[in-house]
Amino acid sequence: LNAVPFQHEKLDKWRHNFSGVIYQHEALKLHLFGAVDDIWINLDTEQLIVVDYKATSKNSEVNLDADWQIGYKRQMEFYQYLLRNNGFKVSNTGYFVYCNGIRQKERFDEKLDLGKGRIIKEGKKVALINFGARLAECKKASEILLKKGLKITILDARFAKPLDEKLIIEVASSHEALITIEEGSIGGFGSHVMHLLSERGIFDRGLKFRSMILPDEFIDQDTPEKMYDKAGLNCNSIVDKIEQTLSSKVIFVKNNNN
């Protein structure tokens, strides 16, 4: 195969989940899009080749023969359809590139411990726990707050199941406020953290807790940056949430009526 990676100014956009390759089907009034993993170009035919990356860990042969893997093939055909309707010559043949983990290997020197988070920055008062792709925005928010005199802690959770319970409880117990952020909806990572803290009695000590999630509404297609702005998951939204949380006052009213 005489092919090389395809170079195009929109390639990063085509790879992004919130944009992808777009085709507006006027007859059906449908907005169609899909995010590709990679695109190569055949230098002999000048056709684009859709490439999908997969990972597994099995001793048996890696193949695409299972009934449920027909979904992979349909997805590949859809990407080819989108590219063709954007005016590109596309090969009927696509490639699945599999990475197969070595199950019998005794050790991995550069290992990833499942269920273990990591501290990115250490600060005071507020701990920000990121789950997913908002870590860069968390770092930007911390720089903005640092200029205002507030140094915050940033924790990259990395895993939702299992949670790094020990680290989360340590952070929650040593800060005035804790905020989670994720590209998920109600009932996701933040809810799991809240349940953990509730069960361990951390809220009884007066911890302020907030969870930043995607809003429960349809967000119109736009650039990723503008969609995150609308979702309230950018660095400025994080700064606002932290400042609002720290300034909030909880008033307990005693009821003398029995």
Side-chain angles (χ1 to χ4, degrees):
L1 177 65
N2 185 21
V4 297
F6 181 55
Q7 303 296 320
H8 195 279
E9 61 181 6
K10 292 185 178 180
L11 189 57
D12 286 340
K13 183 178 181 180
W14 291 345
R15 287 171 170 161
H16 200 283
N17 288 332
F18 281 175
S19 51
V21 184
I22 298 172
Y23 170 55
Q24 198 73 31
H25 199 298
E26 296 297 339
L28 297 179
K29 304 299 182 183
L30 290 177
H31 178 86
L32 305 174
F33 71 98
V36 299
D37 283 346
D38 207 356
I39 300 175
W40 300 343
I41 184 168
N42 188 318
L43 297 180
D44 295 330
T45 64
E46 296 186 344
Q47 291 181 320
L48 299 189
I49 301 170
V50 178
V51 181
D52 214 15
Y53 296 117
K54 303 294 182 186
T56 187
S57 180
K58 56 197 299 186
N59 292 326
S60 58
E61 179 187 8
V62 175
N63 56 50
L64 291 168
D65 296 337
D67 291 341
W68 58 269
Q69 289 175 309
I70 189 66
Y72 290 167
K73 301 170 186 176
R74 289 172 178 165
Q75 186 178 38
M76 175 79 71
E77 291 172 349
F78 183 62
Y79 295 153
Q80 294 170 342
Y81 169 82
L82 291 174
L83 287 167
R84 287 191 185 104
N85 280 280
N86 274 268
F88 295 99
K89 292 171 56 181
V90 183
S91 172
N92 289 329
T93 301
Y95 288 87
F96 293 91
V97 179
Y98 260 95
C99 294
N100 189 22
I102 305 173
R103 294 175 68 90
Q104 64 269 26
K105 190 174 178 67
E106 293 183 1
R107 57 181 289 181
F108 293 90
D109 292 329
E110 296 293 333
K111 64 180 182 179
L112 173 64
D113 293 323
L114 298 178
K116 296 295 182 182
R118 57 177 180 150
I119 298 291
I120 305 299
K121 289 186 176 182
E122 292 192 44
K124 298 179 179 179
K125 282 193 174 184
V126 180
L128 184 60
I129 303 182
N130 170 76
F131 177 66
R134 296 288 83 201
L135 184 57
E137 293 299 305
C138 291
K139 292 179 180 179
K140 291 178 184 178
S142 73
E143 295 301 319
I144 295 173
L145 290 167
L146 188 59
K147 293 178 181 179
K148 297 183 178 184
L150 177 61
K151 185 178 181 180
I152 67 170
T153 294
I154 299 178
L155 168 63
D156 185 15
R158 299 199 292 181
F159 298 94
K161 284 189 175 182
L163 287 174
D164 191 342
E165 296 185 358
K166 182 176 181 294
L167 183 58
I168 291 174
I169 290 173
E170 286 178 356
V171 169
S173 300
S174 59
H175 291 76
E176 178 183 335
L178 186 146
I179 297 172
T180 63
I181 181 168
E182 63 185 294
E183 295 177 340
S185 58
I186 296 172
F189 173 77
S191 296
H192 287 298
V193 173
M194 183 171 63
H195 178 75
L196 169 66
L197 299 178
S198 176
E199 289 296 303
R200 300 296 178 87
I202 305 299
F203 291 129
D204 300 347
R205 307 171 194 173
L207 175 72
K208 296 178 180 179
F209 177 84
R210 302 290 188 274
S211 182
M212 299 183 68
I213 60 175
L214 290 171
D216 189 18
E217 61 184 52
F218 180 79
I219 299 178
D220 290 331
Q221 187 73 28
D222 210 322
T223 64
E225 293 76 15
K226 289 183 179 179
M227 293 180 76
Y228 282 124
D229 290 346
K230 293 175 183 177
L233 293 178
N234 58 17
C235 63
N236 291 323
S237 297
I238 296 171
V239 170
D240 290 342
K241 179 67 72 174
I242 289 174
E243 292 179 335
Q244 291 168 9
T245 303
L246 285 177
S247 63
S248 69
K249 303 295 183 181
V250 179
I251 301 174
F252 294 94
V253 179
K254 184 177 181 180
N255 185 359
N256 293 320
N257 298 324
N258 296 322

Short mmCIF file of all heavy atoms in Angstrom, two decimals, residues 67-81 96:
data_model
loop_
_atom_site.label_atom_id
_atom_site.label_comp_id
_atom_site.label_asym_id
_atom_site.label_seq_id
_atom_site.Cartn_x
_atom_site.Cartn_y
_atom_site.Cartn_z
N ASP A 67 -20.25 -10.73 15.33
CA ASP A 67 -21.48 -10.10 14.85
C ASP A 67 -21.57 -8.64 15.26
O ASP A 67 -22.01 -7.78 14.48
CB ASP A 67 -22.70 -10.87 15.39
CG ASP A 67 -22.83 -12.25 14.76
OD1 ASP A 67 -22.25 -12.46 13.69
OD2 ASP A 67 -23.52 -13.11 15.35
N TRP A 68 -21.16 -8.33 16.51
CA TRP A 68 -21.30 -6.96 16.99
C TRP A 68 -20.34 -5.99 16.30
O TRP A 68 -20.56 -4.78 16.30
CB TRP A 68 -21.09 -6.90 18.50
CG TRP A 68 -19.76 -7.42 18.98
CD1 TRP A 68 -19.47 -8.70 19.35
CD2 TRP A 68 -18.53 -6.68 19.12
NE1 TRP A 68 -18.16 -8.82 19.72
CE2 TRP A 68 -17.56 -7.59 19.60
CE3 TRP A 68 -18.17 -5.36 18.90
CZ2 TRP A 68 -16.25 -7.21 19.85
CZ3 TRP A 68 -16.87 -4.98 19.17
CH2 TRP A 68 -15.92 -5.90 19.64
N GLN A 69 -19.29 -6.53 15.65
CA GLN A 69 -18.32 -5.65 14.99
C GLN A 69 -18.81 -5.12 13.65
O GLN A 69 -18.13 -4.31 13.01
CB GLN A 69 -16.99 -6.39 14.82
CG GLN A 69 -16.27 -6.60 16.15
CD GLN A 69 -15.01 -7.44 16.01
OE1 GLN A 69 -15.05 -8.52 15.42
NE2 GLN A 69 -13.91 -6.95 16.55
N ILE A 70 -20.00 -5.57 13.21
CA ILE A 70 -20.58 -5.01 12.00
C ILE A 70 -20.80 -3.51 12.15
O ILE A 70 -20.77 -2.74 11.18
CB ILE A 70 -21.92 -5.72 11.64
CG1 ILE A 70 -22.40 -5.28 10.26
CG2 ILE A 70 -22.98 -5.46 12.70
CD1 ILE A 70 -21.53 -5.69 9.12
N GLY A 71 -20.98 -3.07 13.42
CA GLY A 71 -21.15 -1.64 13.69
C GLY A 71 -19.91 -0.84 13.32
O GLY A 71 -20.00 0.30 12.86
N TYR A 72 -18.73 -1.44 13.52
CA TYR A 72 -17.48 -0.78 13.12
C TYR A 72 -17.47 -0.54 11.62
O TYR A 72 -17.06 0.52 11.13
CB TYR A 72 -16.28 -1.64 13.50
CG TYR A 72 -15.99 -1.76 14.97
CD1 TYR A 72 -15.10 -2.73 15.45
CD2 TYR A 72 -16.57 -0.92 15.91
CE1 TYR A 72 -14.81 -2.85 16.79
CE2 TYR A 72 -16.30 -1.03 17.25
CZ TYR A 72 -15.41 -2.00 17.69
OH TYR A 72 -15.11 -2.12 19.03
N LYS A 73 -17.89 -1.55 10.86
CA LYS A 73 -17.85 -1.48 9.41
C LYS A 73 -18.87 -0.46 8.88
O LYS A 73 -18.58 0.29 7.94
CB LYS A 73 -18.12 -2.85 8.81
CG LYS A 73 -17.10 -3.90 9.25
CD LYS A 73 -17.51 -5.31 8.85
CE LYS A 73 -16.57 -6.35 9.43
NZ LYS A 73 -16.98 -7.73 9.13
N ARG A 74 -20.04 -0.42 9.50
CA ARG A 74 -21.04 0.58 9.10
C ARG A 74 -20.55 1.99 9.39
O ARG A 74 -20.78 2.92 8.61
CB ARG A 74 -22.36 0.31 9.84
CG ARG A 74 -23.09 -0.94 9.34
CD ARG A 74 -24.27 -1.26 10.23
NE ARG A 74 -25.00 -2.43 9.75
CZ ARG A 74 -25.89 -3.10 10.47
NH1 ARG A 74 -26.17 -2.71 11.70
NH2 ARG A 74 -26.50 -4.15 9.95
N GLN A 75 -19.87 2.14 10.52
CA GLN A 75 -19.31 3.44 10.87
C GLN A 75 -18.26 3.87 9.83
O GLN A 75 -18.24 5.03 9.40
CB GLN A 75 -18.68 3.36 12.26
CG GLN A 75 -18.19 4.68 12.81
CD GLN A 75 -17.63 4.53 14.21
OE1 GLN A 75 -16.97 3.55 14.52
NE2 GLN A 75 -17.89 5.49 15.07
N MET A 76 -17.43 2.93 9.42
CA MET A 76 -16.43 3.21 8.40
C MET A 76 -17.08 3.67 7.09
O MET A 76 -16.67 4.65 6.46
CB MET A 76 -15.59 1.95 8.15
CG MET A 76 -14.59 2.06 7.02
SD MET A 76 -13.08 2.93 7.45
CE MET A 76 -12.30 1.74 8.55
N GLU A 77 -18.14 2.96 6.68
CA GLU A 77 -18.85 3.31 5.45
C GLU A 77 -19.49 4.70 5.55
O GLU A 77 -19.55 5.44 4.56
CB GLU A 77 -19.91 2.26 5.14
CG GLU A 77 -19.33 0.92 4.74
CD GLU A 77 -20.39 -0.16 4.64
OE1 GLU A 77 -21.53 0.09 5.09
OE2 GLU A 77 -20.09 -1.25 4.11
N PHE A 78 -19.95 5.06 6.74
CA PHE A 78 -20.56 6.38 6.94
C PHE A 78 -19.52 7.48 6.78
O PHE A 78 -19.77 8.52 6.16
CB PHE A 78 -21.22 6.45 8.31
CG PHE A 78 -21.92 7.75 8.58
CD1 PHE A 78 -23.00 8.16 7.81
CD2 PHE A 78 -21.51 8.57 9.63
CE1 PHE A 78 -23.65 9.36 8.06
CE2 PHE A 78 -22.15 9.77 9.89
CZ PHE A 78 -23.23 10.17 9.10
N TYR A 79 -18.31 7.27 7.33
CA TYR A 79 -17.24 8.24 7.17
C TYR A 79 -16.88 8.41 5.69
O TYR A 79 -16.65 9.53 5.22
CB TYR A 79 -15.98 7.80 7.94
CG TYR A 79 -16.14 7.75 9.43
CD1 TYR A 79 -15.36 6.88 10.21
CD2 TYR A 79 -17.05 8.56 10.09
CE1 TYR A 79 -15.49 6.83 11.58
CE2 TYR A 79 -17.19 8.52 11.47
CZ TYR A 79 -16.39 7.64 12.21
OH TYR A 79 -16.53 7.59 13.56
N GLN A 80 -16.84 7.30 4.96
CA GLN A 80 -16.55 7.37 3.52
C GLN A 80 -17.63 8.16 2.80
O GLN A 80 -17.33 8.98 1.91
CB GLN A 80 -16.45 5.94 2.96
CG GLN A 80 -15.27 5.15 3.47
CD GLN A 80 -15.33 3.69 3.09
OE1 GLN A 80 -16.38 3.17 2.72
NE2 GLN A 80 -14.20 2.99 3.19
N TYR A 81 -18.89 7.95 3.18
CA TYR A 81 -20.03 8.66 2.59
C TYR A 81 -19.90 10.17 2.84
O TYR A 81 -20.11 10.98 1.92
CB TYR A 81 -21.32 8.12 3.20
CG TYR A 81 -22.56 8.92 2.90
CD1 TYR A 81 -23.26 8.75 1.69
CD2 TYR A 81 -23.06 9.84 3.82
CE1 TYR A 81 -24.40 9.49 1.43
CE2 TYR A 81 -24.20 10.57 3.56
CZ TYR A 81 -24.87 10.39 2.37
OH TYR A 81 -26.01 11.13 2.11
N PHE A 96 -8.68 -0.87 9.65
CA PHE A 96 -8.77 -0.85 11.10
C PHE A 96 -7.38 -1.21 11.64
O PHE A 96 -6.88 -2.30 11.38
CB PHE A 96 -9.80 -1.85 11.61
CG PHE A 96 -11.21 -1.49 11.24
CD1 PHE A 96 -11.79 -1.97 10.07
CD2 PHE A 96 -11.96 -0.66 12.06
CE1 PHE A 96 -13.08 -1.64 9.73
CE2 PHE A 96 -13.26 -0.31 11.72
CZ PHE A 96 -13.82 -0.81 10.56
#
